[in-house]
DNA sequence: ATATAAGCGAGACGGTACGTCTCGTCTTGTG
DNA sequence: CACAAGACGAGACGTACCGTCTCGCTTATAT
C-alpha cells in the first residue's frame, strides 16, 4: 500500500524558497522585514504550506541559503601563484563590493536567522559555517596542493580565521577597514610568534 | 538661565539597564523573550521612559553591555610566561564553561541586538567589538611588553583573530570543538606559511 | 467557485458583543473603564479579531445596543386607558429606578460611544435614536389606535419630545426632577399655546 | 496676616480658557483631539498650572463654556409678534447653519466633557443645561409677558422641550431634519391631545 | 533687606490604553 | 490529503495621553 493523499507540491516548495531569496536579495529587505506572510504572498502559496514543511521563517531562509538560492556572494579568489598577493587583492575588491551595504544586509539576515531560529534551525548548518567553505578556502586548497602551506594546516580553518573577523565586522560596523583586514591577513599568514 | 524642566532620572536610567541585564543574565531569558514591557516592569519604570531615551530594546541591551552590566563573562587568561600554554588552558576551560549554554545564549542575545537594532544602534559600538578587547587581548598585551610577540603585531587584532571564530561557533553550533580551537590557536600563533 | 478562506466566526462575533454588554451592565463599568483589551479577554478573543470587524470600541458598544444586548432598560408603560395617568405613573417609577445611577451610567456610556466614535459609528444608528422607539412610543401607538391622540400626531415624535429632555437630565444631572418631568409631560400633552 | 506666596496668575487663567476655546472653535478640533498638553502649549502655560486649578480637561472646557468663551452660538429668535412663525423661521435658519457641522462638533464636545468628566464636572452645570437658557427661552419669555402663552407655562421648560430633541439630533445624526423639527415645534405649541 | 512661601514654565516620570503587526494554528472550500 | 485563502488567539510593538513630580525661576508677603 502506498502513501495516501496528495503528494507534496514541489512547485510550491521551490516557489517559497525562491520568494524568500528574491525578497531578501532583490527587494533588499532585511530579515525582520521579511515576514512569513510576505513570502507566502510572493510565492503564491498558503501560509500553512510554509509551516507544514518548515519550522519557521529561519528554516526557510536557511534552506534558501543552503540550496544556493541565497549567497553571501563572494567572488572567487584569483590564483596567480602568489597566495599573499591574491588574497590581498581579493580582500580589497570584496571590501569595496561589501561596502555597498548589500552584503552586510545579507550577512545580518543570515545571522538573524541563526540567532532567532531555534536549536533545530542551527542544526541545519550541520557544523559547517557557510561563508567559511567558500572562495578563500578554495584558493587555500589549491595552494596546499601546490605545497605552499605549512605542513598540517587545514585550509578551511584558515578560511575561518580570515573570514570570521571579516563577517563580524561586516555585521557590526558595516564595512570592514581595508587596512585592518590586510594587516590581519598578513598576520595570519606569517604567524604571531617571532621567528626564532 | 539654566536648563528647564525635570532632569532625567538617573535612578530610572540605571534601573532600566540593570533590569535588562538581570533578565538576560539571571532569568536566562533570550533576547527574544526579553520584552520592553518586562524590562519596564522589572525596573519599575514606565514604558515611555525607555522609549524616551533609547531607540529600542537593542539600544538598551547594548548600553547594558557597554556599561559593563552584561558581560560575555570570560575569565582572565593566566600568565605563566608561556603564552601558548596559557591560551590553550584558558581556551579549554572557557569551552567547558561555555558548553553550559549560558555563554552561547548571551552571545546570541548580543548578536540579536546588533542585528535587529538599526544602524544607529550598531553605531554605539563605535567600531569596537566587545569581546575582542577582553581577556585574550589583555594577556597578549602583557606578552607584547615582555617582548614575546613578533614585531608590529597588534594584540587586539590577534584577539579578534582568535575570538571571532570562537564566538561564531558559540553562536551557531553552541559549543566550539576544543580540538578545532586548539589547532586554530596553534595555527594563528605559528603562522600559515611555511618557514623559509 | 465559492468564497475562500476561513469564514468569520459567529461564536467570536457574539462573544465580543456579549462581553461588552456584560462588562457595561453587570460589572457596572463605565464606557471609559471598558477597554478593548478587557472585552477581548472577557470574550476569549484576540484583540485583532475585534479590530478586524469593528472600527473601535464605540462600534462594538453600539452594535451591542442595536442588537438588544444592551438596553436603557425602561419598563413598558402601563395602559389603563388613561394616557396621562399612565405616563405620569411610569415617569415616576422610572425616575425612581433611574435614580439608582445605573441607568444614568448606561445612558452616559451610550452617549460617550456616540460622541467619541467617528461619523461612521454614528451612521450605525441610521437616524433612529434608540431610546425614542421604546416604551413611551409603544404606549402612544396604542393610544393613537384608540383614537386618543390629536389628528396627525406622530407617536415616535412625541416619544422623542418626552424622552430627550429626560435623557439629557439623566446624563447631565443624574436624576431628573420628578416635578419637572411631570410638568413637562403635562405641557407636552396639553400644548403650549392657550386654547382659543 | 495675609496670604504668603505668589498669587494665582490671572493671565494664565485666562490664557488657558482662551486657548481651549480657540482650539475647539477655530481649529475645529474635537474634544478628543483637544489634549491638556495642547491647551497648555497653546496657552504658553505649564501643564501643572492647568491641573492646579482645574480637575481635568472637562473642567477647563466647561468653564470656557460657562464664561462665554465657547458658545453653541445660536442666533436670537426674531420677534415679529407671531411666535409660531418666529420659531419656525429661526429653526430653519439654525438648521442651515448647524448643517455646517461646526455646531454639531461643538455640541458633541460639550457632551463629551459632561460624559467623560466626573460627577463634580457635571456639578459645574448647577442643574442648568446650557443650551436651554438661550435664544428660544428668551423669545418665549417675551411671548409670556405679552400674554401669548397658556397659563402657568414655564418658558425654560418649553425651551428644553424644543431644544433637547434638536441637540440630540445634532449630536447623533449631525443635522436635524427640518421637516421633523418643524412638525415637532408645531406639535409642542399645539399639544398632543385632541381639543375637546 | 532678606527670608519664606507659593505659583510659574518646562518637561520627565509611572502608568495604561490604543491600534497595528506578526506569529503559528485552525477552518473553510477546491483539486 | 495537500492546497490557497484567510480568520483566529496570542501577545509585543511603539505612540499617545493622563495626571503627578521635580527642576530653576519669579513674585509676592512677612519679618
Amino acid at each position: 500500500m502506498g502513501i495516501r493523499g496528495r503528494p507534496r507540491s514541489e512547485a510550491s516548495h521551490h516557489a517559497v524558497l525562491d520568494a524568500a531569496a528574491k525578497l531578501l536579495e532583490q527587494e533588499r529587505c532585511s530579515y525582520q522585514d521579511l515576514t512569513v506572510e510576505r513570502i507566502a504572498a510572493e510565492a503564491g502559496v498558503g501560509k500553512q504550506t510554509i509551516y507544514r514543511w518548515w519550522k519557521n521563517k529561519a528554516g526557510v531562509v536557511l534552506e534558501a541559503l543552503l540550496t544556493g538560492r541565497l549567497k553571501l556572494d563572494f567572488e572567487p579568489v584569483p590564483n596567480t601563484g602568489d597566495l599573499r598577493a591574491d588574497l590581498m587583492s581579493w580582500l580589497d575588491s570584496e571590501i569595496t563590493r561589501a561596502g555597498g551595504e548589500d552584503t552586510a544586509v545579507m550577512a545580518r539576515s543570515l545571522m538573524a536567522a541563526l540567532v532567532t531560529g531555534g536549536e533545530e534551525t542551527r542544526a541545519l548548518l550541520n557544523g559547517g559555517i557557510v561563508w567559511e567553505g567558500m572562495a578563500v578556502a578554495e584558493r587555500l586548497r589549491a595552494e596546499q596542493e601546490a605545497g605552499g602551506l605549512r605542513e598540517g594546516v587545514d585550509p578551511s580553518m584558515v578560511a575561518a580565521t580570515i573570514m570570521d573577523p571579516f563577517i563580524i565586522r561586516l555585521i557590526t560596523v558595516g564595512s570592514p577597514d581595508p587596512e585592518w583586514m590586510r594587516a590581519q591577513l598578513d598576520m595570519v599568514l606569517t604567524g604571531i610568534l617571532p621567528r626564532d
Side-chain angles (χ1 to χ4, degrees), chain A:
Chain A
M1 178 182 56
I3 49 161
R4 300 278 294 267
R6 182 175 179 173
R8 171 174 189 178
S9 158
E10 279 310 311
S12 291
H13 184 175
H14 290 142
V16 167
L17 295 172
D18 291 344
K22 180 187 166 195
L23 288 170
L24 279 178
E25 217 149 44
Q26 258 122 75
E27 317 282 347
R28 267 133 189 65
C29 83
S30 76
Y31 182 74
Q32 318 214 73
D33 300 340
L34 181 75
T35 67
V36 175
E37 229 141 42
R38 246 186 114 179
I39 298 175
E42 180 72 29
V45 138
K47 200 155 49 136
Q48 186 59 58
T49 297
I50 295 185
Y51 284 105
R52 203 186 333 271
W53 303 111
W54 291 276
K55 175 126 217 290
N56 49 34
K57 182 171 60 166
V60 175
V61 170
L62 230 39
E63 182 171 336
L65 178 74
L66 295 172
T67 56
R69 260 164 269 245
L70 276 178
K71 317 180 196 281
L72 277 175
D73 202 23
F74 293 117
E75 297 290 324
V77 182
N79 189 344
T80 65
D82 181 347
L83 178 64
R84 187 184 300 255
D86 287 347
L87 286 169
M88 288 282 184
S89 78
W90 177 83
L91 257 184
D92 277 345
S93 69
E94 287 304 323
I95 287 171
T96 309
R97 290 179 56 251
E101 269 296 283
D102 289 3
T103 313
V105 169
M106 182 64 69
R108 281 185 207 115
S109 292
L110 298 180
M111 191 54 86
L114 284 171
V115 146
T116 64
E119 202 58 53
E120 56 288 303
T121 306
R122 285 187 288 274
L124 295 176
L125 283 182
N126 246 335
I129 289 102
V130 266
W131 54 80
E132 297 177 353
M134 296 163 61
V136 173
E138 274 310 317
R139 178 64 185 83
L140 285 163
R141 270 188 280 274
E143 189 72 13
Q144 186 176 46
E145 279 174 23
L149 295 191
R150 190 159 61 80
E151 194 75 20
V153 162
D154 173 5
S156 77
M157 184 182 288
V158 183
T161 304
I162 296 170
M163 289 300 289
D164 287 355
F166 181 74
I167 294 289
I168 292 281
R169 273 152 187 74
L170 201 53
I171 287 174
T172 57
V173 185
S175 73
D177 173 20
E179 280 312 309
W180 194 95
M181 281 309 304
R182 292 164 67 135
Q184 199 254 356
L185 171 58
D186 200 56
M187 187 186 77
V188 169
L189 291 176
T190 316
I192 279 95
L193 303 181
R195 302 290 167 124
D196 22 29

